[in-house]
Amino acid sequence: MAEAINVTVDDSQETVTAVLGTGITAAERAAIAANTAKTGVTTEIKNIVEDTTPQLGGELDLNGHSVGGSPQTATGDGTTTIDWKLGNIFNFQFGAFNEVFTFTAPTKAGTFILKLVQDSVGSRTVTFPATVKFIGGTAPTLTTTATTGTDIITFYFDGTSYFAVEALDFS
């Protein structure tokens, strides 16, 4: 037996049907019905995409789960701009040129990962922005192996500079 409950959502009436014995108790139905006025709630997120600057009020517990995202991707054409506001991971495939990177800085400090893969010719090089600081002050020599030469560079951005650590030759 199904029981219909009217609930106010965004100032319109919606009907929610709950089937007894499928996880909702009579007390829960009563709580839903009594809370249609959203007592004590002053704002709400209707869609996570609408709130482009959400903030946590404390530490985040992932409860044993991971956080991931879709990497940005590009194939080189000689100059590539990486907008770190659009994501923390960037997969880059060399094209027919050496590459000059420009970085668009995020609004907050953070950690960012750049994966570089050589093209079918190999031996491609990179020029990084002046804001990138490598250990010892010198950018690494990238893996030169055609097609499979893969390097990963991790950046810590402090609001001004990108402090880089490289992991090379994943061929």
Side-chain angles (χ1 to χ4, degrees), residues 68-146:
S70 299
Q72 300 178 70
T73 61
T75 298
D77 61 4
T79 59
T80 297
T81 298
I82 298 175
D83 186 346
W84 290 118
K85 289 184 219 172
L86 299 178
N88 295 52
I89 304 168
F90 198 99
N91 290 341
F92 179 79
Q93 172 75 51
F94 282 96
F97 306 96
N98 293 328
E99 204 67 23
V100 176
F101 283 116
T102 302
F103 290 172
T104 301
T107 55
K108 303 286 184 183
T111 304
F112 303 89
I113 299 171
L114 173 61
K115 177 183 171 189
L116 302 159
V117 180
Q118 291 287 340
D119 66 357
S120 62
V121 174
S123 299
R124 304 293 184 196
T125 63
V126 170
T127 301
F128 288 98
T131 53
V132 175
K133 310 299 180 194
F134 285 96
I135 297 170
T138 303
T141 300
L142 300 177
T143 304
T144 59
T145 310

